[in-house]
Amino acid sequence: MTQYWLFKSEPDVYSIDQLKEDTKKYGGTYWEGVRNYQARNFMRQCKTGDLVLYYHSNCKPPGIVGIAKVVKEAYPDPVQFDEKNTYYDPKSSPDNPRWSVVDLAFVKKFKQKISLDELRSVPQLADMKVVRKGNRLSITPVTKKEFEVITSMPHVSAAVLS
DNA sequence: GCCAACGTTGGC
DNA sequence: GCCAACGTTGGC
């Protein structure tokens, strides 16, 4: 059964356009750098074929910009062992890796971003973690219902006047 | 740039 | 195992 997730990314660091490029070139990308146990545990539950709402954070306005899918299930994050990498973790070792990644591939970019404000205005999405104040978790589960509500919004296929 | 909301660390 | 101090995320 397909599960649904929301992955956050800062567009300055890794945008959906870069994911699209990497998908064209390499078939996808590995989601490096998650260093939070809750987010890691969610990532380890990801199954091939799961669908991902792609959220741009730390930008104006923050919001969901498209859809990705899981193309490879959790395996050790390669950069945790690389001393020169920002995400190097000296407490992790190859025989006992602490952090995981999954591979994601680009599926689609919405015609228009669904901003956080707009998400908050939809009553059926009131329980989503991302609309809650102070939520910092970069990977959160999404219900089928929430995913369907979002992907049937007009932003997905046509520009919306705001 | 501020600050709320957490997660992590480390002294005890 | 408690909790204060500190660090990070991310909206505003």
Side-chain angles (χ1 to χ4, degrees):
Chain A
M1 209 187 81
T2 309
Q3 305 174 100
Y4 304 92
W5 309 94
L6 182 142
F7 279 48
K8 283 186 196 171
S9 182
E10 299 187 27
D12 289 345
V13 178
Y14 194 81
S15 71
I16 193 163
D17 294 324
Q18 283 169 270
L19 177 64
K20 187 178 181 180
E21 290 227 343
D22 286 342
T23 301
K24 223 181 291 175
K25 284 192 210 156
Y26 315 114
T29 191
Y30 57 90
W31 204 255
E32 65 173 37
V34 170
R35 295 294 178 267
N36 170 285
Y37 289 104
Q38 247 185 301
R40 181 203 69 182
N41 293 342
F42 284 135
M43 202 156 47
R44 287 182 177 175
Q45 293 170 35
C46 288
K47 300 287 177 206
T48 300
D50 284 359
L51 294 171
V52 170
L53 296 169
Y54 202 99
Y55 181 92
H56 278 177
S57 64
N58 247 316
C59 59
K60 288 182 186 174
I64 299 171
V65 291
I67 298 170
K69 69 180 172 191
V70 176
V71 291
K72 187 174 176 186
E73 291 169 19
Y75 61 98
D77 185 345
V79 305
Q80 68 191 310
F81 310 124
D82 177 4
E83 278 183 55
K84 292 184 290 284
N85 195 284
T86 326
Y87 298 116
Y88 173 64
D89 184 350
K91 292 175 191 156
S92 187
S93 64
D95 42 309
N96 188 20
R98 181 180 285 202
W99 306 110
S100 301
V101 290
V102 294
D103 286 359
L104 289 190
F106 174 84
V107 174
K108 85 181 307 180
K109 184 179 177 178
F110 297 162
K111 286 278 181 283
Q112 184 168 315
K113 180 193 286 177
I114 305 174
S115 72
L116 183 55
D117 278 350
E118 289 172 294
L119 293 172
R120 288 194 170 125
S121 74
V122 181
Q124 291 135 296
L125 304 179
D127 289 336
M128 285 186 78
K129 296 273 190 308
V130 75
V131 306
R132 303 246 183 89
K133 191 184 168 190
N135 163 62
R136 299 180 305 151
L137 203 52
S138 63
I139 298 175
T140 48
V142 170
T143 66
K144 184 167 197 258
K145 183 74 197 161
E146 289 161 348
F147 187 86
E148 282 167 358
V149 167
I150 288 164
T151 53
S152 57
M153 287 173 79
H155 308 65
V156 171
S157 48
V160 173
L161 300 174
S162 55

